[in-house]
Amino acid sequence: MTTKTIVLAGGGHAHALLLHQLIRKPLPGAQVVMVSPDRYTPYSGMLPGLIAGQYQPNEMHINLSELCRLSGCEFVQGHAVKLDADNAILSIDGGRGFHYDWLSINTGSLPQSPAGFEQSDRGMTVIGVKPVKQFLSWLDDLEVQLPVLPSFALGVLGLGAAGTEVVLALEHRLCQRFPGVSLHLVGAGGLLSGHPLAVQQYAREHLTARHIKLHENVQASLVPGGLQSGQGKTIFLNAVVLCTSARPDGWLRNSGLALDEQGFVSVDNALRSRSHPNVFAAGDMATLVSQPHPKSGVYAVRHAAVLDVNLRHLLMGKRAIDYKPQRQSLALLNMADGRAIGSRGAVTVAGRWVWHWKHWLDQRFMKQFPRGFER
Ligand SMILES: Cc1cc2nc3c(=O)[nH]c(=O)nc-3n(C[C@H](O)[C@H](O)[C@H](O)COP(=O)(O)OP(=O)(O)OC[C@H]3O[C@@H](n4cnc5c(N)ncnc54)[C@H](O)[C@@H]3O)c2cc1C
């Protein structure tokens, strides 16, 4: 039997879990290579807790290079920059190319950029919450500058779960120590739309009690020194953190792979590319054409098990199995003050015990992996 080469592009949730599975049950007849720009990948479910000071960076980062060592896979540090899907070659920065029999893509997503993002004169900092490493380093630098600034208006763009959690975590981290900091949560539509009304109301109460100014239904454009609504009203800011909906980072644009209208990989029910069946995609990068589902970590986690089975089946010459997305998923929002809100379907719970429940679930997830962090 000839050895097959499987290349894993990106160390997102799905690939980390796949490697964890390979420790217990290796893939016979396969050589597995992981390509990742960093040795450590963040678990974003704990990011609001990290911002709020509830966790240290090494508690919420998975050590990918160690996972590779334990599972007998090769770890290659590099950014996937180009894919030639017709010739099955993945290239990383620095020019190294990998010929693969099967490729799996789990490179996550970035926040959407608002209108006006291209202009060079922004008059303020604009930073995405992802890549997480870049965001954390910006936050550390900001804390060094804040003691000498009389005031600092910080905006968070995006009214979904990530934006809500991040603004509350920033409030917890910054506002008591630096009274000149004011916070704004801005976005199109309403706060946490798609979540139950009770969740929206609870989050609204937290924002009000903690003096965070909420700007709903604002189709914001970046203008020098702030964000402008469609009606021409400007919210003046010193910095804005993007927690907007997911977009791909664009490295697959000329790959020849079938992509959806946003640029994510279009996959069939077995998580295989609709144009190139030797390519899988998982996590935020995958758009399941038959049943599109939200881009969130809970789905990335579920993709891992299907990916694992399908790679084994292909190696054994068996048929791939289908992924069936769950209809509802549990959402747990960290309010960053020791409390959390949880909801599944129409059921909503809130309070300190919900934070402890979330903490327990997050710890249980992270305990599966070697952890660590480097700046
Ligand atoms: C603040 C915040 C809180 C969130 N909380 C939750 C939550 O509680 N529950 C939930 O379900 N979802 C949550 N999400 C959403 C969640 O972050 C994403 O859906 C999830 O991370 C997607 O996982 P993934 O496996 O696709 O990729 P990710 O976990 O994002 O990982 C992608 C990996 O690919 C690497 N990479 C990127 N580009 C390349 C490249 N070109 N080449 C090689 N490697 C590359 C990155 O370095 C990273 O290691 C949250 C998001 C944010 C911003």
Side-chain angles (χ1 to χ4, degrees):
M1 188 166 80
T2 54
T3 302
K4 302 284 187 193
T5 301
I6 299 174
V7 174
L8 306 177
H13 296 48
H15 282 173
L17 281 164
L18 176 69
L19 291 180
H20 175 255
Q21 185 60 20
L22 297 189
I23 298 173
R24 289 191 289 184
K25 204 173 162 200
L27 279 174
Q31 174 206 8
V32 182
V33 180
M34 169 174 276
V35 169
S36 165
D38 294 304
R39 289 168 56 212
Y40 304 94
T41 193
Y43 168 49
S44 50
M46 287 170 73
L47 178 59
L50 170 70
I51 298 170
Q54 294 165 342
Y55 303 113
Q56 293 302 310
N58 60 357
E59 293 176 87
M60 53 79 71
H61 280 80
I62 298 168
N63 185 337
L64 293 172
S65 60
E66 180 62 6
L67 254 187
C68 282
R69 192 188 67 75
L70 293 169
S71 57
C73 303
E74 185 187 350
F75 178 81
V76 177
Q77 192 153 6
H79 228 106
V81 289
K82 192 172 159 222
L83 175 66
D84 176 352
D86 290 339
N87 293 302
I89 300 171
L90 176 85
S91 305
I92 62 171
D93 45 2
R96 189 169 165 195
F98 298 84
H99 197 285
Y100 58 83
D101 294 291
W102 289 298
L103 169 70
S104 178
I105 299 169
N106 182 208
T107 51
S109 63
L110 296 173
Q112 295 271 2
S113 308
F117 186 74
E118 323 68 43
Q119 67 192 0
S120 51
D121 173 24
R122 297 204 183 117
M124 64 171 173
T125 305
V126 181
I127 180 101
V129 71
K130 289 182 179 181
V132 169
K133 194 174 175 181
Q134 216 168 294
F135 171 70
L136 293 178
S137 136
W138 170 78
L139 191 55
D140 285 346
D141 290 348
L142 177 66
E143 278 186 314
V144 174
Q145 295 161 29
L146 283 175
V148 294
L149 298 176
S151 65
F152 194 87
L154 179 53
V156 172
L157 187 61
L159 298 179
T164 306
E165 284 188 292
V166 166
V167 81
L168 288 165
L170 287 168
E171 187 276 337
H172 188 80
R173 178 171 177 145
L174 302 175
C175 289
Q176 269 200 350
R177 278 190 300 148
F178 308 109
V181 173
S182 57
L183 283 162
H184 298 257
L185 180 61
V186 188
L191 180 71
L192 292 169
S193 62
H195 290 255
L197 275 177
V199 172
Q200 296 171 12
Q201 198 173 330
Y202 195 83
R204 223 175 265 281
E205 284 164 15
H206 271 262
L207 295 172
T208 308
R210 289 153 73 175
H211 309 289
I212 298 167
K213 184 109 180 47
L214 176 63
H215 308 260
E216 293 175 283
N217 303 309
V218 174
Q219 193 69 50
S221 309
L222 285 175
V223 290
L227 287 169
Q228 195 171 65
S229 72
Q231 290 75 39
K233 188 183 153 218
T234 302
I235 305 160
F236 292 100
L237 298 170
N238 298 100
V240 62
V241 178
L242 305 179
C243 291
T244 40
S245 52
R247 69 162 173 91
D249 87 349
W251 70 276
L252 291 173
R253 208 171 287 132
N254 301 312
S255 62
L257 279 187
L259 305 177
D260 72 4
E261 66 282 358
Q262 283 186 279
F264 293 112
V265 183
S266 295
V267 296
D268 64 14
N269 291 348
L271 301 180
R272 283 206 280 196
S273 156
R274 303 238 300 170
S275 57
H276 294 75
N278 59 340
V279 177
F280 287 86
D284 284 2
M285 271 309 287
T287 294
L288 190 68
V289 174
S290 64
Q291 303 168 70
H293 55 69
K295 307 266 179 216
S296 80
V298 288
Y299 292 95
V301 165
R302 297 287 177 100
H303 290 170
V306 176
L307 193 56
D308 179 42
V309 171
N310 283 346
L311 288 172
R312 283 174 207 285
H313 278 199
L314 287 178
L315 284 164
M316 291 188 284
K318 286 167 66 176
R319 275 186 53 168
I321 62 161
D322 284 352
Y323 163 68
K324 293 186 187 69
Q326 69 265 44
R327 282 212 211 101
Q328 291 178 339
S329 62
L330 174 67
L332 287 166
L333 306 190
N334 186 349
M335 298 289 101
D337 63 348
R339 287 176 280 184
I341 322 177
S343 66
R344 189 182 165 99
V347 180
T348 301
V349 288
R352 290 189 189 279
W353 72 269
V354 183
W355 185 90
H356 285 284
W357 181 32
K358 175 171 169 49
H359 172 71
W360 180 79
L361 289 171
D362 287 340
Q363 297 301 305
R364 192 178 63 163
F365 180 77
M366 285 303 292
K367 268 194 191 136
Q368 304 175 92
F369 305 109
R371 280 154 277 170
F373 183 67
E374 66 189 354
R375 285 182 199 278

